[in-house]
Amino acid sequence: IGLVEVLGQRAPEPRELILINGVLRIVRNHLALLDYGERDTLTGLLNRKTYDEAFYKVMAATMPPAGDQSSDRRADARQQHHFIGVIDIDHFKRVNDTHGHLIGDEVLLLLSRLMRSSFRFYDKLYRFGGEEFVVLMRGGTVEQASTAFERLRTNVEAYVFPRVGRITVSVGFTQLRPGDSPSSAFERADKAVYHAKQNGRNQVAH
């Protein structure tokens, strides 16, 4: 979302409006191209290649600014807990085998919409490929993160998908730790997903 404000001492003349609108079209097209390169084409969620950069930005937010040694800033940084969650659709291969990949794609699209309605607008939502999704949550406690992921799980369980009916998801999440890399944090969350699947699916593990 952006705003361009053009100020002047008088109302613009028609030829000036044409110029202003032309510049805005160029900017809009440029932003659309950038956005297209960062989005999964099916779901519209962020794609995997944007994950690392966002991860390091979140990690940087947990550290006080360089040279700032105040105890208050250090305490604030320690209280800013961030989380990564991995979401996997249970028995998704069965959906594709039974109903075909077109219906499977519709399930992925509808799941992405349920994710948008289940998380805050500033949480980062990704499709990593196949039926695997990732959430990068900024701020909050373990209990709040668990509540958010549980909200998604129940929203998915209650939703009736066209042709398919009801599906479930298994979710694993972990709190980001000092020194984490994008891959190490993801691996911990992925192990939590494996634990959820091994213990009955359709649940959230931490």
Side-chain angles (χ1 to χ4, degrees):
I1 300 172
L3 171 69
V4 176
E5 186 176 17
V6 181
L7 302 177
Q9 300 297 319
R10 55 176 174 76
E13 298 177 3
R15 60 182 180 81
E16 293 171 327
L17 282 175
I18 292 173
L19 176 62
I20 291 169
N21 284 322
V23 171
L24 288 175
R25 276 196 300 272
I26 292 171
V27 172
R28 187 162 54 242
N29 291 339
H30 178 67
L31 292 175
L33 285 172
L34 291 175
D35 189 60
Y36 181 79
E38 296 179 348
R39 299 280 171 180
D40 173 61
T41 53
L42 174 63
T43 63
L45 301 182
L46 294 166
N47 59 31
R48 187 166 191 162
K49 71 178 183 179
T50 65
Y51 165 72
D52 285 13
E53 182 180 359
F55 180 92
Y56 285 120
K57 284 182 179 179
V58 168
M59 291 297 289
T62 65
M63 301 297 292
D68 188 342
Q69 300 301 316
S70 69
S71 59
D72 288 345
R73 294 303 292 270
R74 289 197 300 270
D76 287 345
R78 285 194 296 269
Q79 292 169 6
Q80 293 181 25
H81 303 306
H82 306 296
F83 303 88
I84 177 177
V86 176
I87 299 151
D88 195 271
I89 301 174
D90 296 326
H91 303 298
F92 185 65
K93 183 178 184 299
R94 186 184 303 168
V95 173
N96 281 330
D97 291 346
T98 304
H99 302 283
H101 289 276
L102 192 61
I103 298 300
D105 284 351
E106 184 178 31
V107 168
L108 297 174
L109 177 59
L110 292 171
L111 176 61
S112 72
R113 293 178 181 175
L114 289 171
M115 289 176 63
R116 287 192 181 96
S117 65
S118 299
F119 295 98
R120 302 166 298 186
F121 74 94
Y122 52 83
D123 292 326
K124 301 287 188 181
L125 310 179
Y126 301 85
R127 182 187 176 206
F128 265 33
E131 70 272 29
E132 191 170 58
F133 296 82
V134 170
V135 179
L136 197 54
M137 295 185 65
R138 303 181 63 168
T141 63
V142 172
E143 292 75 18
Q144 289 169 333
S146 181
T147 297
F149 287 113
E150 183 64 24
R151 181 169 56 245
L152 171 68
R153 188 199 65 77
T154 56
N155 286 346
V156 173
E157 185 180 31
Y159 189 83
V160 180
F161 290 79
R163 294 278 298 275
V164 176
R166 299 188 188 277
I167 66 170
T168 60
V169 293
S170 295
V171 182
F173 76 97
T174 184
Q175 182 176 322
L176 302 188
R177 304 170 182 171
D180 262 343
S181 67
S183 58
S184 65
F186 175 85
E187 184 178 356
R188 277 201 315 277
D190 201 41
K191 285 181 179 178
V193 172
Y194 182 77
H195 177 81
K197 286 186 173 291
Q198 291 295 105
N199 288 273
R201 305 177 189 268
N202 189 26
Q203 58 184 280
V204 177
H206 169 231

